[in-house]
Amino acid sequence: MKNQVSIQGKFQYRLSGWKYSAMVRFLLFLVLSILFYVSLMSKIIPPTYDIQLGAVAEKDILAPRAIENAVATEQAKEEAAQHVQLVYKITSLKNEVLMESMFEKLLQINADSEVTLGDKVNIFKTVLPNLVLDHADKQIKGFSDSGQYNEPLLQEMGKKIREQQYRIPEETYYKMPRLSKEDLTAMEPVAKEIVTRLMNDQILDAQTVRAKVPELVNASTLTKSTTREIVQELVRAAITPNKFFDQKGTEEAKGHARDNVKPVFINKNEILVKKGDTITDEMYQRLSGLELLKDQSSNWPKIGLLLIVVMLSLVIFIFVKQSRLSVSHNNAQLLMLVLIVLINIFGMKLFSLVQNLDYPYIGFLAPTALGAMLITILLDMNLAFIAAVLFSVLASIIFNTDHLQPFDFRYGLFTLAASFAAIFSIQRASQRSSILKAGMIVALFGMALVASLLLIEDHSSKKEMLFALSFTVGGGLLTAVFVIGLLPFFEVAFGILSPLKLVELSNPNHPLLRKLLTETPGTYHHSVMVGNLAEAAAESIGADGLLCRVGAYYHDIGKTKRPIYFIENQTNMENPHDKMDPALSKSIIVAHARDGVEMLKEYHLPKPIRDIAEQHHGTTLLQFFYHKAKKLSEAEGDDKPIEESDYRYPGPKAQSKEAAIVGIADCVEAAVRSLRNPTLEQIDTMVRKIIKNRLDDGQFNECDLTIKELDQVAKTLNETLHGIFHSRIEYPSDLQAQAHSQTSGMKRE
């Protein structure tokens, strides 16, 4: 029943929202068709003109004299306003007074011997956060009474202070009642000094400043680890932003900027009426002396263009529908495809505007291979080939200067060759510099094709050939530049993890990986090993191995918040879980997945990486602490049963093959590492046991891993582990003797 609910929830999830809406899908293909039609309309359909009052101008009309352009003037005012820097106000919130209040409460409550330990903890949980808010409200009220700041700014202060309020960890509250009066007396001046020092800076983001607290506390005179820890948390709670956005001040500055803008004039012979503008009475009076021809055009060219557009759209529709790509059901990726097509067509149209008889080959400067390169990197190589053919058809029409024929095969052939060269050269790119190399290859292929075409025509001058070849080189470089510039936009806007982005995220110099290495070297080594295992396993079943490897690097980043509570980081020290309640231990261990997701969000890592960090444990059971809790309950004679669900990870279960594989590799690596001198049989048994347990526990119910794929994953993990642990595997006695004999013989020789 549980599995059925999970499957049903997954089905509803996939069908809900615009990303999987059939109507949205239809509209996107309609937009694509309209885009094709509009981009080709000016080249296929003969222009008509109807200059009448209330009509729409179908061509640019030049101004006979200098005229003020009210629209441009207003636009200039808006641009001036947009360039105004945001206004911020720095306030003095006197948080050292807040620190005094905190310690007064600590002394007062700890001194009351009639209050139990548990009640003190509950009091601290309520009183300390309220002290922060009460202090902030008091300061803001004082500012309001003095009239020092405007009301929107005061509201912004209250909002930001509440949004960035620090949440003291649960375990810290349990340590506070054990503080003696001497401890609090020693802690207070240290805490006040640190708060005063930090609050002297301009603080827009309190979290950034709170990161400096541990270093300052460790450099203080406090010697006890408990007092240092509690001071650290209290100081973090007392740190609030003191730099706030002033909406009213910003609007006033923008108003001054608008007032200082001078009127914009349209000079003589500049555009007075743009194509598409409605002819107003004022325009009509100005244009009354202009004679324009009104003609009824034939509808046959429109019908012909419509048929071309339908065929182009059908090519994409049929390919996408029959493919197994995610774009076949994910409207977000279809939208990205439409945007790429739009950008590529826009680039071609832009260069076609400056194409004339003096520079007939300027169309070779257009980055026509831009779309094919982006589709290869972000979507799929085969789809890029289909798009390249479509772009070649569009280019042959858009860059056609011979109105006797609707197509110019030279630009179509050039676009096709350049796009194919781009696809072949970029398909396995793993660095941003590879895009520039691909651009050079596009330029070389384009030069060879253009040179051959001009030689075949045999009537181009050396100057024309030089211009054409120069434009071709420029087009290849422009293609690379635009791809490099647009790629981050698509990666961020659509959550795309391209191979280039994944390679960048795998760099050890990334702040999070550097933090993992320096603060938790044991976890870092574990993550690297998991990455190697997960990548090999994923590639063996056709999943994204690079995503698995990079996701594994970050999957345990949450352990950096409490590193000593995890076994791989406990070197030459006592395990703190030995003296802790199993429920508290479970909360700490489980929290690393949630903490990891929060850290990854803070550093803006893509969602697939965050999903792996969140889902790699699924809803598995923490067996050690579960059984420990049961034993303690039995020993204490507690009749209340220990629920297994209380000792499981909160999930969700793995939603993708990659998340499931990282979870398996994580468990396998930790389990095999715990074995002393593992044998081949032990490794094989351990790997298959872990996979079977997870399968029986329903951890793969929400991802599309098959039994056959799980078997292949097990085989690959075994092969990889055999290579990693080969030097640690003990030989059987007969092989040991044989190996010793061969070694002795080699030494004698």
Side-chain angles (χ1 to χ4, degrees):
M1 182 65 180
K2 183 179 180 181
N3 292 344
Q4 184 180 356
V5 172
S6 300
I7 294 173
Q8 183 180 2
K10 179 183 176 185
F11 180 77
Q12 292 175 348
Y13 167 78
R14 288 189 171 181
L15 292 182
S16 63
W18 72 273
K19 289 185 178 181
Y20 306 100
S21 169
M23 178 58 68
V24 172
R25 192 163 195 77
F26 169 79
L27 291 176
L28 287 174
F29 277 108
L30 180 61
V31 169
L32 190 63
S33 301
I34 294 174
L35 179 60
F36 289 151
Y37 190 93
V38 172
S39 63
L40 302 178
M41 183 172 57
S42 61
K43 291 290 184 177
I44 299 292
I45 302 175
T48 59
Y49 307 93
D50 184 11
I51 305 301
Q52 294 179 358
L53 186 63
V56 175
E58 299 183 17
K59 63 174 293 184
D60 293 336
I61 303 174
L62 303 182
R65 56 186 175 83
I67 301 173
E68 181 180 353
N69 189 340
V71 175
T73 301
E74 187 60 30
Q75 184 178 357
K77 290 182 177 181
E78 289 302 319
E79 289 178 356
Q82 290 176 3
H83 283 88
V84 171
Q85 296 291 330
L86 300 179
V87 177
Y88 289 88
K89 294 293 185 181
I90 312 299
T91 61
S92 176
L93 297 176
K94 300 179 182 179
N95 284 15
E96 63 274 8
V97 176
L98 169 62
M99 199 82 270
E100 291 179 359
S101 301
M102 287 184 173
F103 277 95
E104 287 178 4
K105 288 294 181 182
L106 287 170
L107 283 168
Q108 177 185 351
I109 295 170
N110 282 355
D112 192 343
S113 58
E114 295 182 1
V115 182
T116 64
L117 179 65
D119 290 340
K120 290 180 179 180
V121 170
N122 292 330
I123 293 173
F124 287 144
K125 288 181 181 179
T126 304
V127 169
L128 294 182
N130 288 338
L131 277 177
V132 177
L133 298 180
D134 292 343
H135 175 77
D137 292 341
K138 183 178 179 182
Q139 295 292 312
I140 293 172
K141 187 177 185 302
F143 294 146
S144 177
D145 294 340
S146 65
Q148 186 175 358
Y149 300 116
N150 57 71
E151 189 60 28
L153 178 58
L154 296 176
Q155 294 177 2
E156 178 72 6
M157 291 181 187
K159 176 185 174 183
K160 289 299 180 184
I161 290 174
R162 280 169 167 77
E163 286 179 352
Q164 300 185 32
Q165 184 179 12
Y166 181 73
R167 183 178 179 181
I168 298 176
E170 189 82 9
E171 56 268 22
T172 303
Y173 288 115
Y174 286 90
K175 298 176 182 180
M176 290 180 180
R178 298 184 174 87
L179 293 173
S180 65
K181 182 178 181 180
E182 292 74 19
D183 290 336
L184 293 172
T185 303
M187 292 162 59
E188 183 174 358
V190 173
K192 289 174 61 179
E193 192 275 334
I194 295 175
V195 169
T196 302
R197 177 177 176 181
L198 293 178
M199 290 298 295
N200 283 334
D201 296 330
Q202 297 181 11
I203 304 176
L204 188 61
D205 181 12
Q207 184 61 30
T208 304
V209 178
R210 288 168 184 150
K212 303 176 182 179
V213 173
E215 180 181 354
L216 297 176
V217 173
N218 291 334
S220 68
T221 57
L222 297 176
T223 58
K224 294 183 180 181
S225 61
T226 302
T227 57
R228 287 200 302 268
E229 178 185 346
I230 296 177
V231 165
Q232 176 176 306
E233 300 302 330
L234 291 175
V235 170
R236 283 174 170 168
I239 297 297
T240 61
N242 60 12
K243 182 179 180 181
F244 305 95
F245 172 62
D246 186 355
Q247 178 70 35
K248 186 176 180 180
T250 302
E251 291 299 327
E252 290 176 354
K254 288 184 176 181
H256 291 307
R258 290 190 184 97
D259 294 339
N260 292 330
V261 173
K262 295 181 180 179
V264 179
F265 288 89
I266 299 176
N267 296 321
K268 183 180 179 179
N269 293 330
E270 289 187 0
I271 296 176
L272 177 61
V273 179
K274 290 184 178 181
K275 177 183 176 181
D277 286 349
T278 302
I279 304 299
T280 63
D281 183 64
E282 181 181 0
M283 293 178 182
Y284 188 80
Q285 294 300 325
R286 292 175 183 173
L287 301 173
S288 60
L290 183 62
E291 296 181 358
L292 297 173
L293 177 64
K294 182 179 180 180
D295 184 25
Q296 295 294 328
S297 63
S298 173
N299 290 324
W300 291 114
K302 298 178 182 179
I303 296 174
L305 176 58
L306 183 61
L307 291 176
I308 292 176
V309 167
V310 169
M311 286 188 290
L312 294 177
S313 302
L314 276 177
V315 168
I316 296 182
F317 175 79
I318 294 173
F319 177 83
V320 168
K321 185 177 181 180
Q322 293 183 352
S323 70
R324 296 183 178 180
L325 305 174
S326 55
V327 70
S328 64
H329 58 268
N330 189 331
N331 290 335
Q333 294 205 359
L334 182 59
L335 174 61
M336 180 169 59
L337 175 62
V338 173
L339 287 178
I340 293 174
V341 173
L342 172 63
I343 292 171
N344 204 76
I345 292 178
F346 177 78
M348 291 192 288
K349 292 289 289 184
L350 189 64
F351 281 90
S352 71
L353 295 177
V354 295
Q355 190 181 26
N356 52 45
L357 296 177
D358 295 330
Y359 297 99
Y361 301 120
I362 201 170
F364 295 132
L365 182 60
T368 54
L370 169 66
M373 196 178 291
L374 284 173
I375 293 172
T376 303
I377 296 173
L378 298 172
L379 292 170
D380 177 68
M381 183 180 70
N382 294 325
L383 180 59
F385 281 120
I386 299 297
V389 175
L390 297 180
F391 290 142
S392 67
V393 174
L394 295 175
S396 67
I397 299 176
I398 291 175
F399 292 111
N400 179 34
T401 56
D402 183 6
H403 294 287
L404 297 177
Q405 297 293 333
F407 300 91
D408 188 335
F409 81 95
R410 296 173 302 176
Y411 291 101
L413 189 58
F414 167 78
T415 299
L416 188 65
S419 297
F420 275 32
I423 294 169
F424 285 123
S425 58
I426 203 66
Q427 60 175 320
R428 296 189 180 276
S430 59
Q431 296 181 359
R432 302 276 173 184
S433 60
S434 302
I435 299 176
L436 186 59
K437 296 177 182 177
M440 294 300 299
I441 294 174
V442 169
L444 290 175
F445 270 79
M447 287 177 64
L449 180 64
V450 169
S452 64
L453 291 174
L454 295 180
L455 290 173
I456 291 173
E457 291 181 357
D458 196 26
H459 59 75
S460 299
S461 65
K462 292 182 178 179
K463 181 180 179 181
E464 288 180 340
M465 181 172 286
L466 181 61
F467 269 115
L469 295 178
S470 300
F471 288 150
T472 303
V473 174
L477 295 178
L478 281 177
T479 298
V481 170
F482 282 126
V483 170
I484 293 173
L486 290 170
L487 198 56
F489 162 77
F490 284 105
E491 289 173 344
V492 173
F494 293 93
I496 296 295
L497 263 179
S498 66
L500 302 175
K501 182 67 173 179
L502 284 171
V503 171
E504 287 181 358
L505 292 176
S506 67
N507 191 329
N509 289 323
H510 189 282
L512 283 180
L513 292 183
R514 192 163 61 246
K515 177 182 179 68
L516 190 68
L517 174 61
T518 56
E519 297 182 11
T520 57
T523 300
Y524 178 83
H525 178 263
H526 161 72
S527 298
V528 171
M529 297 290 288
V530 172
N532 293 334
L533 292 172
E535 181 179 32
E539 290 181 347
S540 70
I541 63 170
D544 193 338
L546 185 57
L547 173 59
C548 283
R549 175 159 65 88
V550 179
Y553 288 169
Y554 292 92
H555 80 289
D556 274 345
I557 193 67
K559 291 183 179 180
T560 57
K561 288 208 171 182
R562 304 174 187 85
I564 64 171
Y565 291 95
F566 299 91
I567 189 68
E568 66 266 24
N569 301 313
Q570 297 170 2
T571 55
N572 300 322
M573 64 176 292
E574 185 179 359
N575 190 337
H577 291 289
D578 294 341
K579 298 181 179 180
M580 293 175 61
D581 182 77
L584 180 57
S585 295
K586 166 258 179 184
S587 299
I588 294 174
I589 298 298
V590 166
H592 85 271
R594 181 186 66 251
D595 294 338
V597 174
E598 292 176 356
M599 294 176 69
L600 294 174
K601 283 184 179 178
E602 181 181 348
Y603 282 82
H604 307 293
L605 265 75
K607 190 174 185 301
I609 302 293
R610 302 199 306 265
D611 287 343
I612 289 176
E614 184 179 27
Q615 300 167 13
H616 72 280
H617 281 297
T619 58
T620 53
L621 176 67
L622 283 82
Q623 296 187 17
F624 177 81
F625 296 113
Y626 171 64
H627 292 299
K628 180 179 178 181
K630 290 184 67 175
K631 289 181 180 179
L632 288 176
S633 177
E634 293 172 358
E636 295 174 359
D638 190 354
D639 295 334
K640 185 179 179 181
I642 302 298
E643 297 293 338
E644 183 179 294
S645 58
D646 294 338
Y647 285 83
R648 284 185 175 272
Y649 280 93
K653 296 177 180 179
Q655 303 294 308
S656 65
K657 291 182 180 181
E658 288 77 15
I661 290 172
V662 172
I664 294 171
D666 175 51
C667 188
V668 164
E669 196 281 334
V672 174
R673 179 163 38 87
S674 67
L675 299 176
R676 183 176 182 181
N677 299 325
T679 65
L680 301 179
E681 292 76 13
Q682 286 178 321
I683 291 177
D684 183 71
T685 301
M686 181 71 74
V687 169
R688 294 190 177 277
K689 180 180 179 182
I690 288 172
I691 293 178
K692 184 177 183 304
N693 288 342
R694 289 208 166 201
L695 181 62
D696 294 341
D697 196 29
Q699 297 303 315
F700 306 134
N701 287 356
E702 298 181 14
C703 66
D704 51 356
L705 272 174
T706 64
I707 300 297
K708 183 178 180 180
E709 288 174 335
L710 286 174
D711 183 64
Q712 183 61 42
V713 166
K715 291 179 181 178
T716 305
L717 289 176
N718 279 323
E719 292 171 359
T720 308
L721 287 168
H722 291 170
I724 294 174
F725 291 95
H726 177 73
S727 60
R728 296 171 54 188
I729 297 176
E730 294 181 349
Y731 286 99
S733 58
D734 55 338
L735 293 180
Q736 283 183 340
Q738 181 182 355
H740 177 73
S741 174
Q742 291 175 351
T743 305
S744 301
M746 291 174 63
K747 290 181 178 179
R748 287 196 298 271
E749 292 175 359

